[in-house]
Amino acid sequence: MSEKNGSGRINRRTFLRHASSGAIAAGMAVGMAGEASAAALQPTPAPFRPQAGGKRPPNVILLITDQNAAGLTKKAGFPFDTMPTMDRLAGQGVDFERAYCTMPACTPSRTSMITGRWPCAHRVRMNYQADAAYYEKDLYKVAKEAGYLTAMCGKNHTYLKAGPKVDFWREYSHEAGDKTNGDPAMHAAYEKWIKNLHFNVATEPTPFPVEAQFPYRIVTDAIEFIDKAGASPFFLQLSIAEPHNPEQVPAPYWDMFPPEKIPGRGAADLSALNKLGYRAEWLHELEKFGHPDIDGQWKRYVSNYLGALRMIDDQ
């Protein structure tokens, strides 16, 4: 694959490789619906603050994936090579092997990421409480005050909104997203199809190409922002909604990690639910309510999930 396409723009894997020279944070969270159009890139309101010696400030990329379980890459000892690019980034930088989110729910966890506060301090305790966020400054305000251009590409699911703090805004959920780039008709057809999964696992390959998938589209939007930023330092939140359910992938990611080769469950049967308590039992019943055959399809679910990890990594 060439480093640039015919228009001189960097390709996706080159984009992520270049990103490894900046600051990258990886996070995990859970989802919300929403769709927004792009905001125009605005001039930076404050002068750049050069570092000692007059050096240009570094670009900062906050890279987030959603419900990305730890330990599922080759570097972590997993038998499948699901995320070689992320493994390489971890190997070249600092890999926090015992990092934890502040709360196992999307909005509280994401609010902590951008405010630097625990949920008990920012006061967001659940996914329907985004506007309760309490903070003095967040990453976007700090970046703007330092003279950075700012962008949010992908899943938001916080109090954050398009406005003066964010120069470039392209929002996605798990079922819909911005259609500025690519084929709008194909994107609309894909989103109609994915809504019909009702957040369940697909039992056949997704009948749309990778270019319709949200990771591809989000990275495309991010590259557009980087191109427009030019020589200006930037803060970019690149927030991919996958591998959160609905678990679906197109070729070549379908059966890249075949169900018959998926390692066995940690517990041989579901008797462990009794030991975990009523919350675990209630969650399992909720899963069966939405997808009655979830226990029979769990290997397909994991196969699609691992395929989604590789699809994300390839962007």
Side-chain angles (χ1 to χ4, degrees):
M1 182 181 292
S2 64
E3 291 288 307
K4 295 185 178 182
N5 61 26
S7 65
R9 289 160 58 106
I10 58 176
N11 63 44
R12 285 171 172 72
R13 291 192 69 84
T14 305
F15 158 70
L16 281 179
R17 185 161 63 251
H18 290 341
S20 67
S21 63
I24 290 187
M28 292 158 270
V30 209
M32 168 179 119
E35 180 176 352
S37 59
L41 191 61
Q42 300 295 327
T44 305
F48 301 152
R49 295 178 181 175
Q51 294 179 322
K55 292 183 179 180
R56 178 187 181 279
N59 297 325
V60 179
I61 299 175
L62 175 62
L63 176 57
I64 305 172
T65 53
D66 202 333
Q67 288 192 177
N68 191 338
L72 295 181
T73 72
K74 200 79 169 177
K75 183 178 183 297
F78 194 63
F80 299 133
D81 194 13
T82 56
M83 305 190 83
T85 303
M86 292 296 103
D87 277 350
R88 189 180 71 251
L89 288 173
Q92 293 174 348
V94 179
D95 186 8
F96 295 95
E97 296 180 346
R98 299 183 65 183
Y100 298 87
C101 63
T102 57
M103 183 175 284
C106 183
T107 306
S109 183
R110 288 171 180 261
T111 301
S112 290
M113 290 182 202
I114 61 175
T115 65
R117 295 188 171 199
W118 290 91
C120 60
H122 63 56
R123 303 178 185 176
V124 178
R125 305 296 184 90
M126 57 184 175
N127 284 347
Y128 303 100
Q129 221 181 357
D131 290 337
Y134 180 81
Y135 60 97
E136 182 179 355
K137 288 185 179 181
D138 59 16
L139 281 174
Y140 286 87
K141 184 172 179 59
V142 171
K144 294 300 286 183
E145 289 178 348
Y148 278 64
L149 292 173
T150 58
M152 202 294 297
C153 297
K155 181 181 170 181
N156 173 24
H157 209 173
T158 71
Y159 63 87
L160 194 66
K161 296 177 175 62
K165 287 194 299 187
V166 189
D167 297 307
F168 187 92
W169 182 273
R170 299 280 172 84
E171 188 171 7
Y172 291 74
S173 70
H174 297 291
E175 296 180 322
D178 190 273
K179 300 176 183 62
T180 302
N181 289 305
D183 182 347
M186 178 179 69
H187 295 340
Y190 165 73
E191 291 171 10
K192 181 179 180 181
W193 175 85
I194 202 171
K195 284 182 174 71
N196 287 329
L197 289 177
H198 303 291
F199 282 87
N200 289 323
V201 62
T203 56
E204 296 181 352
T206 303
F208 294 89
V210 172
E211 289 78 7
Q213 293 279 335
F214 298 141
Y216 185 99
R217 289 158 59 181
I218 292 167
V219 172
T220 299
D221 293 339
I223 292 174
E224 179 189 344
F225 166 70
I226 291 172
D227 287 344
K228 289 182 175 179
S232 300
F234 62 80
F235 167 73
L236 164 63
Q237 179 177 335
L238 199 169
S239 183
I240 293 174
E242 284 77 10
H244 188 292
N245 53 305
E247 301 302 340
Q248 54 76 38
V249 283
Y253 303 102
W254 176 268
D255 277 355
M256 182 175 283
F257 308 102
E260 62 271 17
K261 294 185 179 180
I262 298 299
R265 281 173 164 173
D269 55 44
L270 296 175
S271 61
L273 288 172
N274 296 327
K275 297 179 181 179
L276 293 174
Y278 77 92
R279 289 187 177 90
E281 293 176 317
W282 172 81
L283 181 59
H284 184 61
E285 289 301 317
L286 186 64
E287 291 171 336
K288 289 199 298 183
F289 178 80
H291 189 184
D293 195 32
I294 190 169
D295 291 323
Q297 292 283 349
W298 76 267
K299 286 193 173 184
R300 168 50 59 195
Y301 178 100
V302 175
S303 175
N304 290 4
Y305 180 95
L306 298 178
L309 292 182
R310 187 56 176 263
M311 177 174 66
I312 293 166
D313 195 79
D314 281 351
Q315 304 316 308

